[in-house]
Amino acid sequence: MTDRGRENLSLTWKLGAIALGAFGFGFALVPLYRTLCAVTGYGDQAKLLERSAAILHPDVKRTVTVEFLADVASAGSWDFRPEVRRIEVHPGELYTAEFYAHNLTGHASIAQAVPNISPSEVAAYFHKTECFCFAPQHFALNEGRDMPVRFFVDPALPSHIEVITLAYTFYDEASRVTRR
Amino acid sequence: MAEPHAHAAAHDDHDHKPHGWRRWVFATNHKDIGTMYLVLSCTMFFIGGIAAECIRLELFRPGLQFFDPQFFNSLTTMHGLIMIFGAIMPAFVGLANWMVPMQVGAPDMALPRLNNFSFWILPFAFTLLIGSFFVPGGAPAGGWTMYPPLILQTGAAFPMLIFSVHLMGMSSILGAINVIVTIMNMRAPGMTLLRMPLFVWSWLITAYLLIAVMPVLAGAVTMLLTDHFFGTTFFTAAGGGDPVMFQHIFWFFGHPEVYIMILPAFGIISEIIPTFSRKPLFGYEAMVYAVASIAFLSFIVWAHHMFTVGMPLAAQLFFMLSTMLIAIPTGVKVFNWTATMWKGSLSFEPPMLFALAFLFLFSIGGFSGLMLAMVPADYQYQDTYFVFAHFHYVLVTGALFSIIAAVYYWLPKWTGHMYDMKLGTWHFWLSAIFVNVLFFPQHFLGLAGMPRRIPDYAVQFTDWNMVSSIGAFGFGLSQLLFPYLIIKCIRAGRAAGNRAWEGAHGLEWELPSPPPFHSWTTPPSDAVIARGAAH
């Protein structure tokens, strides 16, 4: 083997080792990423854990009233109302409320509920984990059914607030078409 | 291992080369392998181009006319993968194979058999990749960036995608090792590092980038593979993984990859502009340092591709500022190219025309890159056609135009024939006009909010999409002139002479055109090297 051949081979192996090291480095990025997330608090679930801990430990000493309102955009074509008009809740506890809707349009239809919360400053403290308002609702002709909304009130709710109003307006296809 | 090679080299010295298919399948000659790389690249360019034309056909009008959305997504994904790994990268490797040994005064690449291997991996890689169109579930449709969890939903094509990426990566790494060993060990005596042409310099740095980051991509896709088949949860939140981590690892590869596709282009432009300005390159050493600093910075800017995933403010500021820093060495290069032309006696043959278009249009792509670097602005531009326009300006009018310029520059050297200048000039003007018709309106579409990778769009985007599609058809058709012109030139033409361009400097122009099968078997003398290194 010539001198140059030997040099070439030795440099080749060194560069190959760099490539192999880089392959390992790709995998080393995994623990590195976890560490960085733990340090910066990103990707790390600490905040969410705090929030779920609050759900597990509701503030039972405090009671807030939640009122439910329901309204339809085109009167007469839907029967839409809450099953209960108001409930008393403890901040931090998870509740379910049912709304009833009945399709009176005379044909199968799709409707979308749009929520509104008042007083508006409460919006940041009122968390819906599941809601019929998250997606359009399909109704067969003359179909009526209950639809759930699951929610909890943040324990950090300002202390002067005692009543929260959750109002839904029900829009169906017809009102969408007229809006266009 | 080196003995049989030494024997073979001694044996082949009389310029008798193997004939027929053996010449190509068992090729160890850098010129033959370079040619094969360039032919592969050209083929892939047209296949990727067909995918692009299909995309523009679908986007000519709003609504779905020709393809269902899943197939459209396959088209965008495959267009990206084929153009990046199949057209641009092999073209640069092919140019390196052809030119680097001749430019540094070496008889061949340092590792000729490895060279053969790294080329012949590629046809298999692309057969796997393109074959995925014909398996159940269709070709990958999750975007060329392969983000999980979407990419994990790919059907039978998933392992084909992963293994083809492995093969392409392997080919690039082996090719890069070969280039580095050739440049470090095979230079003619007297060819000091700072006498090397800039094409060689830029390729040396590119090769280091390749061996540093291609293995990281291989690691990332291996993690995808084990997540999909072996129950690991690197990127699955349900098992404690994080899909955002894929984006970090991918772009740790992806940003240096962007420079892998542009640094050799800088080298090419630095060869062409001095030749047709009949002046030495302005600020040779500054150019070398600029390339090196761009390469260094490429490792610390990756997260600017993903500002919107949620990052601490400090990280966003860091990545924004480090990204903007890249404008400084890039600005040095653009300034030096312009200064090279200052008071030069310019002439406008096809290579120079493409180099000038590169200078203008790459700068446009650079400026839109600066806009995208700004975090608050990027939140609006992310995943819109503005990003699309940006990286097509740097990759099509940047990387691709530089490759076309390089072919027009060195074709007389390779074939010994001058090509049809008039046709080359036509090719230039058609390309330069249509490419702007194609991509410039996409800036407007992006700023107006049109998202990337969507087969349908809101009607207010119709006009500019039609203009863009017309540009795409025109650009695609005018590229057909290119292979026609090359074949015509290989067959016949006026003899080019050793120094095909009167202003050309460098060792390759000291050799006959076409160069003998084995060039520089006796190293060039110091005087010849000094004449070539005219800076």
Side-chain angles (χ1 to χ4, degrees):
Chain A
M1 189 183 268
T2 60
D3 275 355
R4 176 170 280 176
R6 227 186 315 276
E7 275 171 30
N8 285 356
L9 213 57
S10 125
L11 184 56
T12 305
W13 284 118
K14 279 179 202 153
L15 295 169
I18 296 180
L20 211 64
F23 185 70
F25 179 73
F27 285 88
L29 284 173
V30 176
L32 195 67
Y33 177 75
R34 298 235 165 96
T35 315
L36 274 176
C37 287
V39 172
T40 57
Y42 272 82
D44 162 44
Q45 309 287 311
K47 277 182 193 161
L48 281 177
L49 279 177
E50 249 170 55
R51 190 169 287 173
S52 62
I55 300 172
L56 292 172
H57 304 289
D59 183 0
V60 288
K61 279 178 275 175
R62 189 168 170 203
T63 306
V64 182
T65 306
V66 179
E67 296 182 335
F68 302 109
L69 291 179
D71 200 0
V72 290
S74 41
S77 53
W78 293 85
D79 178 13
F80 180 53
R81 56 186 152 80
E83 293 287 11
V84 281
R85 303 201 71 87
R86 65 174 66 209
I87 56 173
E88 307 283 310
V89 304
H90 297 307
E93 198 169 329
L94 199 57
Y95 297 89
T96 303
E98 302 276 356
F99 280 69
Y100 178 81
H102 191 173
N103 178 7
L104 304 174
T105 54
H107 50 82
S109 186
I110 302 169
Q112 169 84 49
V114 178
N116 182 32
I117 194 137
S118 57
S120 54
E121 66 179 299
V122 175
Y125 303 97
F126 191 88
H127 305 295
K128 294 191 279 288
T129 60
E130 181 56 67
C131 179
F132 59 91
C133 59
F134 289 171
Q137 300 291 325
H138 296 248
F139 280 84
L141 167 66
N142 212 26
E143 181 187 351
R145 66 166 185 264
D146 278 331
M147 302 177 297
V149 49
R150 283 171 72 75
F151 65 91
F152 66 94
V153 177
D154 203 311
L157 183 74
S159 57
H160 65 272
I161 291 172
E162 288 164 0
V163 180
I164 297 170
T165 307
L166 176 62
Y168 286 102
T169 310
F170 217 48
Y171 293 94
D172 67 4
E173 282 169 326
S175 45
R176 283 191 184 181
V177 173
T178 47
R179 272 218 309 281
R180 263 192 198 169
Chain B
M1 190 177 140
E3 260 99 2
H5 160 232
H7 172 253
H11 190 71
D12 277 351
D13 263 347
H14 320 289
D15 211 68
H16 72 84
K17 50 200 172 217
H19 287 283
W21 61 271
R22 285 166 184 279
R23 173 177 175 190
W24 305 104
V25 174
F26 301 133
T28 51
N29 180 280
H30 72 100
K31 301 182 182 82
D32 283 355
I33 294 175
T35 304
M36 289 197 291
Y37 266 112
L38 291 171
V39 170
L40 175 95
S41 157
C42 188
T43 314
M44 288 300 143
F45 173 67
F46 281 100
I47 294 176
I50 290 169
E53 298 298 337
C54 290
I55 293 167
R56 285 316 319 173
L57 187 66
E58 178 60 58
L59 293 175
F60 188 75
R61 287 174 51 195
L64 298 175
Q65 284 90 31
F66 299 98
F67 310 115
D68 69 273
Q70 173 76 14
F71 186 71
F72 181 89
N73 291 341
S74 288
L75 286 175
T76 57
T77 305
M78 298 293 276
H79 166 73
L81 288 168
I82 290 173
M83 286 305 200
I84 289 167
F85 293 105
I88 302 291
M89 289 172 69
F92 282 133
V93 181
L95 291 170
N97 258 293
W98 253 104
M99 303 319 299
V100 165
M102 294 207 289
Q103 288 189 322
V104 300
D108 204 311
M109 296 294 277
L111 310 157
R113 297 213 171 132
L114 194 71
N115 205 7
N116 174 296
F117 184 57
S118 43
F119 170 76
W120 279 110
I121 291 176
L122 286 179
F124 292 94
F126 288 106
T127 310
L128 259 183
L129 186 66
I130 295 167
S132 70
F133 268 114
F134 307 103
V135 299
W144 83 273
T145 50
M146 300 178 283
Y147 283 178
L150 185 59
I151 200 72
L152 296 172
Q153 296 171 14
T154 307
F158 182 75
M160 298 169 85
L161 167 71
I162 301 296
F163 289 134
S164 68
V165 171
H166 275 147
L167 290 175
M168 295 165 197
M170 214 185 293
S171 162
S172 304
I173 293 164
L174 297 179
I177 289 177
N178 212 342
V179 168
I180 296 175
V181 178
T182 306
I183 297 173
M184 297 312 282
N185 288 0
M186 305 283 282
R187 274 172 291 129
M191 174 58 81
T192 56
L193 283 177
L194 282 175
R195 267 177 161 183
M196 296 194 311
L198 261 163
F199 179 67
V200 178
W201 255 116
S202 62
W203 239 110
L204 178 65
I205 292 166
T206 303
Y208 273 109
L209 286 183
L210 275 166
I211 59 169
V213 301
M214 288 308 288
V216 176
L217 175 69
V221 296
T222 307
M223 290 183 222
L224 285 178
L225 190 77
T226 57
D227 266 17
H228 191 277
F229 289 110
F230 304 115
T232 58
T233 53
F234 287 107
F235 310 124
T236 315
D242 190 344
V244 172
M245 185 175 70
F246 178 85
Q247 300 191 22
H248 281 287
I249 301 176
F250 181 85
W251 287 112
F252 183 83
F253 144 80
H255 202 78
E257 167 70 12
V258 173
Y259 293 136
I260 287 165
M261 292 189 286
I262 204 65
L263 294 185
F266 289 171
I268 290 164
I269 301 305
S270 305
E271 304 277 316
I272 293 174
I273 288 185
T275 297
F276 297 94
S277 306
R278 291 157 185 85
K279 270 181 67 193
L281 183 68
F282 182 87
Y284 169 87
E285 286 186 28
M287 291 300 244
V288 173
Y289 293 133
V291 173
S293 25
I294 292 171
F296 168 73
L297 287 172
S298 76
F299 284 104
I300 54 165
V301 299
W302 76 89
H304 67 216
H305 294 268
M306 39 187 292
F307 278 140
T308 55
V309 297
M311 244 185 277
L313 182 64
Q316 301 198 28
L317 284 172
F318 171 80
F319 287 113
M320 174 170 93
L321 295 173
S322 58
T323 304
M324 289 180 165
L325 220 52
I326 295 175
I328 295 170
T330 315
V332 166
K333 298 197 78 75
V334 172
F335 179 84
N336 284 5
W337 288 322
T338 315
T340 305
M341 291 188 286
W342 177 251
K343 292 190 173 170
S345 36
L346 304 187
S347 61
F348 299 97
E349 287 85 348
M352 183 61 163
L353 289 172
F354 274 99
L356 288 175
F358 172 98
L359 203 53
F360 276 106
L361 301 175
F362 176 79
S363 298
I364 291 178
F367 284 132
S368 57
L370 269 178
M371 291 169 73
L372 287 160
M374 278 182 274
V375 173
D378 182 77
Y379 271 57
Q380 185 196 344
Y381 305 152
Q382 172 87 28
D383 271 339
T384 66
Y385 263 72
F386 190 78
V387 177
F388 194 97
H390 157 69
F391 69 73
H392 279 86
Y393 263 89
V394 291
L395 283 176
V396 177
T397 58
L400 178 67
F401 270 30
S402 82
I403 292 165
I404 296 176
V407 172
Y408 278 133
Y409 184 52
W410 282 310
L411 195 59
K413 171 57 61 185
W414 299 336
T415 61
H417 300 145
M418 256 316 171
Y419 49 85
D420 186 340
M421 289 287 174
K422 205 171 169 189
L423 200 61
T425 310
W426 266 99
H427 177 212
F428 167 75
W429 283 109
L430 290 172
S431 301
I433 291 168
F434 278 121
V435 85
N436 282 295
V437 175
L438 164 55
F439 292 122
F440 210 81
Q442 295 180 358
H443 288 113
F444 312 145
L445 289 170
L447 291 179
M450 179 167 161
R452 283 170 74 182
R453 296 170 169 168
I454 306 287
D456 190 6
Y457 49 81
V459 285
Q460 73 264 30
F461 301 132
T462 310
D463 294 346
W464 285 125
N465 268 299
M466 282 188 173
V467 171
S468 181
S469 288
I470 291 167
F473 304 146
F475 183 72
L477 289 175
S478 29
Q479 296 323 301
L480 296 174
L481 288 175
F482 193 41
Y484 170 74
L485 185 144
I486 292 172
I487 292 166
K488 198 174 145 193
C489 171
I490 292 171
R491 289 202 169 149
R494 181 168 64 77
N498 292 6
R499 196 176 299 276
W501 313 104
E502 55 168 85
H505 289 279
L507 285 182
E508 75 267 36
W509 305 109
E510 307 288 339
L511 291 166
S513 306
F517 197 59
H518 294 287
S519 37
W520 298 129
T521 39
T522 45
S525 71
D526 210 57
V528 170
I529 294 175
R531 188 164 63 211
H535 52 266

